[in-house]
């Protein structure tokens, strides 16, 4: 039986993030100014044609699903990778820490700069449109952050977790991980996340923190030809 997280982008744009969806009943995407993710309903001719029509010529989209990603003729893959999708084995307790604060639009440029430096995944100035982010600052400087990305019925993706290289190995990432997971669990939603399959250190950390592998996932970054 298929799981709604097998096609996480489509499921999110049908439920928790339906208000952000662009497209039709056959294919949808997030506004590219927020995040480049897109998906089609299935691999039917109608869905693939609708997916092809979403981007402008030369525009990039990111497709993620458990099954091999099928492309219409008008889209070409520019990057391919394998991810792991991990899911929490249990709810997380809500915690508090005076160093953690909610981030706002005023922090957007600092958030993008930190994400650009550490590369936790696709990130834009409008990432906060997807969900709340929290951070740790030192002398007014954002040094670590974490938040939420895709949301489906009963699930929320922990994402954007990163720490400035000058402040790594001090426990900030683990603290924010537990904090964000607790905030998601407090809404009675199950926490899940994605990581590149080759990022063995991160996968080991997530396993130690109570996550298990749900599925390998296929990522294809695609571009419209003409």
């Amino acid at each position: 039986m298929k799981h709604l997280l097998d096609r996480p982008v489509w499921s999110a744009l049908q439920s928790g993030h339906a208000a952000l969806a662009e497209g039709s009943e056959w294919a949808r995407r997030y506004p590219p100014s927020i995040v480049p993710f897109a998906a089609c309903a299935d691999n039917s001719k109608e869905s693939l044609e609708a997916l092809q029509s979403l981007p402008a010529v030369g525009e990039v989209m990111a497709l993620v699903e458990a099954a091999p990603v099928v492309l219409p003729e008008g889209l070409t893959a520019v990057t391919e990778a394998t991810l792991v999708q991990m899911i929490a084995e249990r709810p997380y307790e809500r915690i508090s820490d005076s160093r953690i604060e909610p981030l706002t639009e005023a922090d957007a440029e600092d958030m993008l700069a930190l994400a650009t430096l550490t590369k936790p995944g696709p990130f834009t100035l409008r990432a906060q449109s997807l969900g709340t982010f929290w951070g740790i600052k030192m002398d007014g400087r954002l040094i670590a952050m974490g938040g939420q990305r895709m949301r489906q019925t009963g699930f929320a993706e922990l994402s954007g977790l990163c720490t400035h290289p000058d402040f790594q190995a001090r426990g900030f990432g683990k603290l924010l991980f537990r904090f964000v997971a607790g905030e998601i669990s407090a809404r009675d939603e199950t926490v899940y996340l994605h990581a590149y399959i080759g990022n063995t250190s991160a996968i080991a950390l997530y396993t130690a923190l109570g996550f298990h592998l749900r599925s390998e996932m296929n990522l294809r970054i695609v571009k419209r030809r003409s």
Side-chain angles (χ1 to χ4, degrees):
M1 182 177 179
K2 291 184 178 180
H3 193 285
L4 61 81
L5 294 183
D6 288 345
R7 302 175 72 95
V9 179
W10 180 256
S11 298
L13 293 173
Q14 290 281 89
S15 56
H17 282 158
L20 296 174
E22 297 180 349
S24 67
E25 62 181 309
W26 303 108
R28 295 184 173 189
R29 71 171 180 179
Y30 284 92
S33 61
I34 296 177
V35 75
F37 289 117
C40 51
D42 51 37
N43 293 331
S44 67
K45 180 176 180 292
E46 292 85 356
S47 292
L48 292 174
E49 287 179 349
L51 181 68
Q52 177 177 304
S53 70
L54 287 177
V57 175
E59 190 175 22
V60 167
M61 299 191 305
L63 313 177
V64 182
E65 56 187 271
V69 179
V70 177
L71 298 181
E73 291 184 1
L75 297 180
T76 184
V78 295
T79 303
E80 299 186 32
T82 302
L83 311 176
V84 292
Q85 185 183 88
M86 303 184 73
I87 194 165
E89 296 177 345
R90 55 173 174 76
Y92 281 76
E93 292 184 8
R94 204 171 193 178
I95 64 172
S96 62
D97 190 295
S98 60
R99 294 170 293 180
I100 299 174
E101 61 182 88
L103 299 177
T104 69
E105 290 184 9
D107 299 300
E109 290 189 2
D110 290 340
M111 293 168 65
L112 180 60
L114 182 59
T116 300
L117 178 65
T118 57
K119 297 178 171 56
F123 205 90
T124 69
L125 284 172
R126 295 187 62 201
Q128 293 176 80
S129 301
L130 301 173
T132 305
F133 278 75
W134 295 268
I136 296 174
K137 297 179 182 179
M138 190 169 292
D139 298 324
R141 175 188 180 190
L142 182 65
I143 63 168
M145 69 175 180
Q148 303 159 87
R149 190 163 61 183
M150 289 185 283
R151 290 184 68 182
Q152 298 82 6
T153 302
F155 295 89
E157 180 190 20
L158 192 157
S159 185
L161 189 72
C162 54
T163 302
H164 192 283
D166 293 346
F167 298 90
Q168 291 178 357
R170 300 191 191 183
F172 295 133
K174 184 176 180 180
L175 173 62
L176 279 166
F177 184 100
R178 292 185 60 221
F179 181 89
V180 177
E183 293 300 301
I184 292 172
S185 294
R187 300 196 305 258
D188 292 325
E189 294 176 340
T190 299
V191 191
Y192 75 100
L193 54 84
H194 292 101
Y196 286 103
I197 197 169
N199 194 351
T200 54
S201 59
I203 293 170
L205 173 62
Y206 300 149
T207 301
L209 289 170
F211 279 66
H212 68 269
L213 174 67
R214 196 200 73 81
S215 177
E216 290 189 2
M217 305 291 287
N218 297 293
L219 167 67
R220 299 187 85 174
I221 307 297
V222 303
K223 181 181 292 187
R224 183 171 174 176
R225 295 175 181 172
S226 60

